[in-house]
Every structure is written in structure tokens, then in C-alpha cells.
Amino acid sequence: MKKLIFVLVDGLRCDTAFRHMGFMEHLLEMGAASRYRVRSELPSMSRPIYETLMTGMPVLEHGIFSNEVSRLSKEENLFGLARENGLTTAAAAYCWFSELYNRAPFNPVTDRLQLDADLPIQNGLFYFKDVTGAYPDSHLIADAEALRQRFNPDFLLVHPMNTDDAGHKSGSDSSDYVKSVIMIDYILSNTIPIWLGSGYTVLVTGDHGINPWGWHGGNGDDERLVPLYIMGPAAAGGDFSETEIPQRMLAPLCCDLLGIPRGKKMLQPALPGLKES
């Protein structure tokens, strides 16, 4: 059985990750990870890109044009495809993922914890405050590990938000933003070895970057370029970041890593440095 953990660090700039994520870069140096550079979709905003990451569809086609579009996805997505193929799904994530794939609008009382085998995200633990420090990344990673230990999901989404929060508050050139990147790298250094030891392939990426003025949504490299680290059985190891990968390639890549058919509208993934894709 192929198993995948998808870590989406919200607001993670590519250059900041390559410079300051010491644990990830250590795995790269040791040949235990493959590293890539990904160009995000436009607009480089969170909710549209969440949908692109989970469906492989461009924004113009999936119709989630901004963060204000609050409705269920109408496209084939990773959670639904995994469930349809007999896999177990889970997510520790911001409530917008619940609104895209389980229930919309999000009700904090009834929807924070969702355990329902008939939903695309069968085992979900969702937070709903995203201001700086409101829901610490340490708590979110603990949520994800609790879901993993209890339900043994085949596909688990892990979505920490503090990096994006720090970027909005202080800008990408600030010490607060850099510290948030260093901190999530540190937190992941305590859990990724456990996940790898449990047989998971682990992906770590960002949805979008952030600019020095504390915003994103536009076409600049600081807002669009994000990292992708792949660890586990599929990763041959090595730096393949000289060639940019379109963000739409991640959803079909996840399907291949899970061993399930891709969505009908998804791209054919082609990444160097993978043992299987």
C-alpha cells in the first residue's frame, strides 16, 4: 500500500526555504530528499491555489478565483479520488479545506472535528483562526500526528499557517518571517523521521510566497516561487530545482505516488529524480 503525507506550509517562499530550512536541506545533502522549484498558479492567493493543488486544474477552469469564493469544489480532487479507490483520507488543515471538500460554509461548532467515511476528507481536524499565533504550528502538527496514529490514513494533508501569518504581519524580509520558516522546519524535523519510518512518502511545499510588503497575489517571483521537497520511497535524492515545475503537476504526481488513477483533466507528471512517478 502506497501512503502519502502532503505538508503544505502556507506562504513559504522558495528562496527563504532553500536558505533557512536546515533539516530539509540536510536531507537533500544526504541524498534522502529530492528538491524542486515550483511556480504557483495565478492569482497567487491561498484558496484558489488550494483548489489547484488538490485538483490539478488552472484557476480559470476550477472557478475559485479569489479567497472570497466559499463553496464546495466541483472538480475531481485528491481526497475524492483516494476515497473512491479504497484509500483512507485525513487532514489537519485550515477550515477552507473543509469548505472546499466536505461542507460549506464552515461551522466551528459542528465542523472542527469531522469523522465521516462518506466524506472526501474522512478524518478532519480543522482550525479557523489564522491571525499570528492564534493556532500554533506545533499544535497543527500534533493534530496531524494524532490523526495519523489513530486512523492510519493513506493520504494525509498537513497545513500549518504561521509562516503566512508572519509574512503578512512583517513582510518577507523580516526576522519574524525567517523565524517562522526556521520554526516549522524544526517542528517537522521531529515528525518527518517518524512518518518516513512508517512507510510514507512525504511532500513539503508551499501554496504561494510573499513579498517584502507583506502581501501576495501577483506575478513576482517572491510571490509565486515555492519549494518542493520529496522524501521517502519515491525520492532518488538530489537537487532538481534549476527547472521550474508548474504547480498543476503536483496533484497528478500525488495520484501516482498513491498508486491511484489520475483525474481525467490532470496533467501527465514528469519530474526528474523520482524512482516512480
Side-chain angles (χ1 to χ4, degrees):
M1 179 71 71
K2 297 180 180 180
K3 300 163 70 174
L4 175 65
I5 294 177
F6 190 122
V7 182
L8 178 60
V9 181
D10 210 288
L12 181 61
R13 272 180 61 148
C14 191
D15 53 354
T16 309
F18 288 179
R19 181 174 181 181
H20 294 289
M21 296 189 84
F23 173 68
M24 295 297 172
E25 292 296 307
H26 170 67
L27 295 179
L28 176 68
E29 286 189 355
M30 296 301 295
S34 299
R35 185 178 80 171
Y36 305 87
R37 187 185 309 264
V38 175
R39 182 167 291 275
S40 79
E41 282 288 298
L42 285 172
S44 51
M45 302 292 290
S46 291
R47 201 188 302 241
I49 290 179
Y50 298 166
E51 177 75 334
T52 292
L53 286 169
M54 296 296 110
T55 68
M57 302 296 297
V59 172
L60 185 61
E61 293 189 32
H62 65 56
I64 306 295
F65 295 113
S66 75
N67 287 344
E68 305 307 313
V69 180
S70 176
R71 63 161 172 80
L72 288 172
S73 171
K74 300 177 181 179
E75 305 292 338
E76 289 184 305
N77 60 79
L78 291 176
F79 297 108
L81 289 168
R83 185 176 63 83
E84 290 167 10
N85 285 276
L87 304 186
T88 302
T89 64
Y94 188 53
C95 61
W96 288 356
F97 276 96
S98 173
E99 290 184 325
L100 279 168
Y101 306 111
N102 276 10
R103 292 196 286 260
F106 181 83
N107 183 326
V109 176
T110 60
D111 295 343
R112 174 159 162 71
L113 176 64
Q114 299 181 41
L115 305 176
D116 187 336
D118 293 328
L119 290 173
I121 303 175
Q122 297 167 314
N123 307 289
L125 189 51
F126 301 100
Y127 60 102
F128 51 92
K129 292 287 188 180
D130 61 342
V131 295
T132 302
Y135 203 74
D137 286 352
S138 58
H139 291 44
L140 185 279
I141 300 300
D143 290 345
E145 179 58 5
L147 289 170
R148 187 194 69 83
Q149 290 188 20
R150 181 173 179 183
F151 300 106
N152 191 29
D154 302 293
F155 177 55
L156 170 61
L157 174 70
V158 183
H159 177 221
M161 183 81 80
N162 290 172
T163 295
D164 182 70
D165 295 337
H168 280 300
K169 180 180 179 181
S170 304
S172 62
D173 292 347
S174 67
S175 61
D176 286 344
Y177 180 74
V178 172
K179 287 176 183 176
S180 72
V181 174
I182 294 171
M183 182 55 64
I184 189 59
D185 179 73
Y186 174 78
I187 295 169
L188 289 172
S189 74
N190 293 313
T191 51
I192 285 179
I194 297 171
W195 297 341
L196 295 175
S198 298
Y200 284 89
T201 295
V202 181
L203 272 61
V204 177
T205 190
D207 52 348
H208 54 74
I210 201 149
N211 65 32
W213 302 279
W215 199 241
H216 54 85
N219 197 26
D221 285 353
D222 50 1
E223 298 172 68
R224 292 192 70 182
L225 291 181
V226 298
L228 171 63
Y229 296 91
I230 302 178
M231 296 142 279
D239 185 3
F240 304 96
S241 61
E242 291 303 312
T243 302
E244 291 180 8
I245 296 168
Q247 200 168 41
R248 288 180 59 200
M249 195 176 289
L250 269 65
L253 170 65
C254 289
C255 288
D256 287 4
L257 294 174
L258 285 167
I260 62 175
R262 304 179 200 115
K264 298 178 185 65
K265 299 179 183 178
M266 290 182 181
L267 298 174
Q268 170 79 33
L271 273 72
L274 293 184
K275 297 176 183 176
E276 51 183 302
S277 71

